[in-house]
Amino acid sequence: MTNFYLNTSIENIKGVGPKVKIQLEKIGIETIQDALFYLPKSYENRTKITKISDVEPGNAYQIEGEILESKIYYPGRRAFYAKITDGTGFIQIRLFFFSNPQANAFIKGLKIRMYGVVRNTGNKLEVFHPSYKIFTSNQRPPLDNTLTPIYSVGSSKISQFRLRNIIKNCINKIPSEDSFEKKIDEVFYTNNISEFSIKESLQIIHSPSVKDEILKIKNFSHPAQKRLIVEELLTNLIGVKISTKRIDKLISPKIIKSEASLKEFKKNLPFQMTKAQVSVIDEITNDLNQIKPMRRLVQGDVGSGKTVVAAAAMLSVAKSNFQSVLLCPTEVLAEQHFKNFSQWMKNEKIEMNLLTGKTKKKEWEKINEGLISGKTKILIGTHSVFQKRVSLNNLALVVVDEQQRFGVKQRFEILQKTSQNLMPHQLFMTATPIPRTLAMTMFADLSVSKIDEMPPGRNPVLTSVMSNTKRDELIERLEVICKNGNQAFWLCTMIEESENLDVQTAEASKKWLEEKSSNLKVGLVHSKLTKNQKDKAINEFREGTIDVLVCTTVIEVGMDVPNASLMIIENAERLGLSQLHQLRGRVGRGPDMQAHCILLYEGELGETAEARMSAMKETNDGFKISEIDLEIRGSGEILGTKQSGGMELKIADLIRDAQFLDKSEKLARELKDRPELVDLLMSRWIGKKEDLIAAQ
Ligand code: ADP
Ligand code: MG
């Protein structure tokens, strides 16, 4: 009996035509199984209406009432206001992004039902950008009878409503009798992990009823979640074992260690390397000198100088006449590295290319020729491009920068790129420390090097926290900084994962800055600009013709502008601690400067957000930050954002769920000799079956 039914195309589901299919692909859903395991990032409780007199600011509620008044007004930017009552109190709605028809629909006397986080502003209750429905009193819509799952949709145009229905249809397709699914269920029953079948577990997680104990779900302590968490962990453990076994059978090119060329390289750098950098380079070049494939992680805090370490390793490879690639998470970062490498190696005759999503076809063909012939020695590019379009035949080293993901999927991807049993060495660079339990299980196949020292002359960035209502005070500060020849980032954070609102906030902030000060030259970078527009702004910022760069989180990782001394983060309360630390690390990179970071927040700070802000004020040490992050995260507030732990997992969080690792190991051992089940588990949690086979 073979049973890969759930692995068939999502097209087989009612409601998925060619157009929807394309939108689903954007969020990684290609099969029925992909949809089933596309788990909600949060839930909304729209099963009941809360009286205005009962709300506690800081929480989300569904509220229903009558529209009393509404108006468009201009507090620096165009805004909308409406006032509602349900007889027990008053609440106001505020929108910054709205159309005129939208505003006109708020007619006095009509009813409105809305859902959103209630805040307390100036003694008034307020909901900012709620989701809502306006209706007349005889058209009252029914209440939901399950919690409403919210999925992250990124840049996909699929609506929550449609996605919810598609997933519901998929759950109904899970076979219940006589199937591999059932056999896996049994393993969980007999080991007393969970009494829930996969079907029940998914049902509960995608649409929990109120009695399903939402608190448990929010804390990831519901047995239905445990079932999925353990299943995912054990599958990944099996995956690590399989990929390690395969990799161990392969050999890597032996790279000759040339002290002379390293010495020359160091001599041409504009700075002297730290002891830590030198010793990490030594560890890497020793590894590269073996035919045993290297899998090494370089861990160093933001700003510790990991890039130059990668450059030294890649130079050694080039000198041995082999190729290496440097993979970056963003184009901005790839371009920056390319510039730095070109500068650092300008005395070497090494063919080096940059390849990103924006590289023109003609140019790309030329680059590819160079790669195939072996003429090109160093390739710098983005992950996505490398996965899709590159084949190198002389590849000896892959460096992955700002790697927060060391997933099993990545392990297989790299295996796919190997030819003739020649495995490239691998080097990962990260600012996120890996906890000990994980180093011993999921990452048992990685060696770790630490850059535990900062370049000299770096002062810790001073951080302060400030209410957005005082933002006018920042203008003078910005003017002083820029007059002294320094520069500032003004960062706008995401609203509810919506890229569009993100972009609009950035545009509004740029306009606001320009209106408030005629002395500041303000630039703008966000995801909706063309490459040329982005390049122009970033280059002008680097060169100093722009004083303030307003941007979205595109700059989050890696960006390096040594002259920038101030980082302002709008709506910092929305960001996780490690992300804040990454962002702060964008300033104070030049020697002997005092850099500052200002965290702006809107409304009132919740307990956890407050704790994050104080942690940022207290320390600049990435290790401490990640420790505090773990403590705070225990509360389960940031549902669905698995921000650390180092693997890209669907539901498990290696840190939160470390308690389950032992059990998962045991099950992994038990299951590993049942290939039919392993196949199903691997395709379910790690990747398409064809991809995994291709990697064999
Ligand atoms: P990260 O570890 O965050 O990736 P980068 O590699 O971007 O850090 O380096 C941060 C900045 O420090 C860069 O401007 C880089 O040129 C500079 N830098 C790196 N090593 C040294 C050093 N030993 N001395 C002085 N500056 C250095
Ligand atoms: Mg970096």
Side-chain angles (χ1 to χ4, degrees), residues 544-570:
T545 32
I546 285 177
D547 301 316
V548 185
L549 187 67
V550 177
C551 47
T552 55
T553 35
V554 284
I555 63 133
E556 180 187 333
V557 289
M559 183 146 160
D560 187 45
V561 178
N563 200 34
S565 70
L566 177 62
M567 164 68 68
I568 296 169
I569 305 178
E570 243 187 288

Side-chain angles (χ1 to χ4, degrees), residues 302-303 305-307 333 336-337 401-402 429 557-559 582 586 589:
V302 187
K306 295 182 285 292
T307 318
L333 199 52
Q336 174 186 301
H337 285 340
D401 189 23
E402 298 294 353
M429 300 196 288
V557 289
M559 183 146 160
Q582 257 291 344
R586 300 305 113 219
R589 302 188 137 231

Side-chain angles (χ1 to χ4, degrees), residues 26-88:
K26 285 193 188 163
I27 49 175
I29 298 179
E30 291 176 22
T31 65
I32 296 179
Q33 186 152 266
D34 292 339
L36 286 172
F37 290 86
Y38 196 76
L39 303 176
K41 72 173 167 70
S42 63
Y43 303 94
E44 293 180 358
N45 188 349
R46 302 190 193 184
T47 63
K48 59 170 186 194
I49 307 283
T50 304
K51 285 193 210 131
I52 296 177
S53 57
D54 288 346
V55 305
E56 283 174 26
N59 299 314
Y61 297 99
Q62 180 158 257
I63 293 168
E64 195 172 290
E66 187 179 316
I67 299 170
L68 293 176
E69 60 181 20
S70 69
K71 65 171 185 236
I72 295 175
Y73 69 119
Y74 294 86
R77 64 193 197 190
R78 186 167 168 267
F80 173 81
Y81 154 92
K83 190 171 170 190
I84 314 292
T85 184
D86 65 356
T88 74

Side-chain angles (χ1 to χ4, degrees), residues 560-605:
D560 187 45
V561 178
N563 200 34
S565 70
L566 177 62
M567 164 68 68
I568 296 169
I569 305 178
E570 243 187 288
N571 294 108
E573 77 277 9
R574 293 194 186 125
L575 299 180
L577 200 44
S578 54
Q579 202 178 6
L580 288 171
H581 179 62
Q582 257 291 344
L583 289 167
R584 175 172 61 185
R586 300 305 113 219
V587 296
R589 302 188 137 231
D592 303 319
M593 71 159 57
Q594 182 54 63
H596 294 262
C597 171
I598 298 171
L599 305 173
L600 285 177
Y601 64 91
E602 255 190 293
E604 254 172 48
L605 279 182

